Amino acid sequence: MAEPGKPVAGNRALSLALAQQAYASRVVRLVSRDLTGCDHLAATRRGLFAVGLDGPRLIAHGQFFGLTIEGDDIFAFEACARPRDPSRLGRIVRLRRDQGRIIEAAVVVQGLDNGCHQIDLIGDTLVVVDTYRQRLVVIGRDGGRAEHQPIPGADAWSTGYVHMNSVIASGDHRLVVLHNGGDQTVQCSEVAVLDADWRLLERRPLAGSGCHNLAVLEDGTLLSCGSLAGELVGSDGLRVKVTDLMTRGLSVGDGVIAVGGSPFAERDLRDGLGGEVRFLDRNYQSLAIVPMPAPPMEIRRLDGADLSLSNHVRSRGLAVRWPA
């Protein structure tokens, strides 16, 4: 198992060629169908993994970023080319499971930008955070798509690029993380508060830099990864140091929080690095550390009882309570 920050072997050109072949043939490159003994899924640039305390299990080859769960269905965003490549070889794959085993794998959406990050289901619509184009792609059950741009497009921090990367629904609002550049701009991250029609209402600061991920806690606190400081941060002022790595990937269950750890590295070097998943109790005390072959991009509970999932948050009647 690779150590965080230590390069691992791999042929990048071959991986990309195989990914593009899979895209053209609409094949999902399953490795294992077995999810037993694992409570979480982790999307990474080096595959989709099921994760338990005994370690990770490779489920599918590919560059995976966003993940969401609905019943027995797992939806994942896969980039079949480099994230900043303009080829639009991004796709959504669906894995259907039964009794801890994947019984079907299918491609359900193609032609997305390679740089999309998080995905989630809000009601019956699948929302894709199209990060580099600063858009939100909303896909209906019938496959129809609509694009929304609550913040104008830009290609540099100095001209308004915000690197939106995560989304969650809170009551009638939709919340989107604005990374804002972290150490490149010395700006804190923000949450864009949107209405149900994806129009910007306000921008609220987060208590961290380079933030990723959102979860709505039972008391109305909005939890996020304060990535650059290796923290979890809350809208109530919470700041908890989790790791010396960059925190990215967040799952919150009734008893366990899972947080991803990624080494700090230039973007072109990240594909060959290991990472970790840290398990915490609900008091943010460490329970276990599971080394990963690659840094987690996203983490979700397999049972869907996850406060980072919009529909689960809604089913619990939860919404963010902003401090006065």
Side-chain angles (χ1 to χ4, degrees), residues 246-263:
M246 182 179 79
T247 45
R248 179 176 177 178
L250 174 64
S251 167
V252 181
D254 287 342
V256 175
I257 299 171
V259 185
S262 302

Side-chain angles (χ1 to χ4, degrees), residues 21-232:
Q21 184 181 69
Y23 182 92
S25 58
R26 297 181 70 93
V27 169
V28 180
R29 294 179 291 158
L30 285 179
V31 176
S32 173
R33 295 176 179 268
D34 183 15
L35 301 172
T36 58
C38 298
D39 296 320
H40 293 79
L41 280 178
T44 82
R45 291 171 179 258
R46 299 185 67 237
L48 180 65
F49 291 85
V51 183
L53 293 180
D54 292 336
R57 181 183 305 147
L58 180 61
I59 299 301
H61 290 301
Q63 293 184 103
F64 290 94
F65 292 84
L67 280 173
T68 194
I69 308 286
E70 182 186 50
D72 290 326
D73 288 342
I74 299 161
F75 296 90
F77 172 79
E78 181 188 0
C80 295
R82 291 183 182 273
R84 289 189 177 272
D85 190 301
S87 56
R88 296 183 68 83
L89 298 183
R91 64 184 189 172
I92 305 293
V93 302
R94 183 189 67 215
L95 308 179
R96 183 155 288 164
R97 59 206 166 118
D98 181 55
Q99 300 296 317
R101 184 170 178 81
I102 295 170
I103 58 173
E104 179 187 323
V107 177
V108 294
V109 177
Q110 293 206 122
L112 296 169
D113 189 81
N114 296 312
C116 295
H117 279 44
Q118 196 190 48
I119 67 174
D120 199 15
L121 282 159
I122 299 178
D124 288 334
T125 59
L126 182 65
V127 180
V128 181
V129 182
D130 190 341
T131 296
Y132 298 136
R133 298 198 306 151
Q134 294 202 160
R135 300 183 188 189
L136 297 154
V137 182
V138 179
I139 304 169
R141 290 285 185 183
D142 60 358
R145 303 186 198 183
E147 294 190 0
H148 303 276
Q149 193 157 35
I151 294 173
D155 57 9
W157 302 115
S158 60
T159 59
Y161 180 65
V162 296
H163 196 76
M164 60 172 61
N165 59 53
S166 305
V167 64
I168 199 167
S170 169
D172 293 331
H173 294 152
R174 284 79 177 100
L175 311 178
V176 179
V177 172
L178 310 182
H179 180 289
N180 283 346
D183 56 356
Q184 298 183 57
T185 63
V186 199
Q187 293 184 29
C188 71
S189 296
E190 297 173 292
V191 172
V193 182
L194 315 179
D195 66 16
D197 293 318
W198 305 98
R199 295 174 296 209
L200 180 65
L201 300 177
E202 60 177 324
R203 292 166 63 158
R204 287 180 168 265
L206 284 167
S209 295
C211 292
H212 296 80
N213 309 107
L214 293 170
V216 180
L217 304 187
E218 294 88 347
D219 65 356
T221 297
L222 184 68
L223 191 68
S224 183
C225 289
S227 300
L228 289 190
E231 296 177 327
L232 291 177

